[in-house]
Amino acid sequence: MQTLAHFGDGGPGPWILLFPLIWALVIGGGIALLRRTVWRGRRGPGPGRPTAEDDSPITVLGHRFASGEIDEDEYWRRLSVLDEQFGRHGKDGAR
């Protein structure tokens, strides 16, 4: 440790290693703060955030079928009715 920045001759000594550590903490803290606040909204909805399609009747019907509230026959019967009223669009916009 005596050779580190001429510690015995009145140099800064081992404290010189503290400043890069402080800068790394400041930069890391800034990035963490930006990720938790500003950049969060740009990634889209996260878990637990409802989207507009979560309230559609077809989605609600799918949730009811998945939870076991209705059986498969009732699911398909109701889906055919909802499909006529609301319609489902494919990714290319065709029905």
Side-chain angles (χ1 to χ4, degrees):
M1 272 321 257
Q2 291 291 333
T3 60
L4 182 64
H6 304 288
F7 178 67
D9 296 334
W15 294 104
I16 193 87
L17 299 175
L18 186 62
F19 293 109
L21 179 64
I22 290 173
W23 277 111
L25 289 174
V26 167
I27 291 170
I31 290 173
L33 182 68
L34 287 173
R35 287 186 68 190
R36 292 185 61 87
T37 57
V38 177
W39 294 340
R40 174 171 271 186
R42 295 185 184 170
R43 288 184 284 161
R49 294 185 186 170
T51 60
E53 293 183 11
D54 283 345
D55 295 334
S56 73
I58 294 175
T59 305
V60 172
L61 181 65
H63 288 297
R64 289 187 64 198
F65 176 64
S67 67
E69 291 180 38
I70 58 175
D71 61 351
E72 186 177 1
D73 293 331
E74 187 174 353
Y75 170 76
W76 287 113
R77 188 175 65 246
R78 290 182 180 205
L79 183 63
S80 65
V81 171
L82 290 174
D83 232 358
E84 291 174 5
Q85 291 179 357
F86 296 99
R88 288 192 295 187
H89 300 289
K91 289 187 177 185
D92 58 354
R95 283 191 172 213

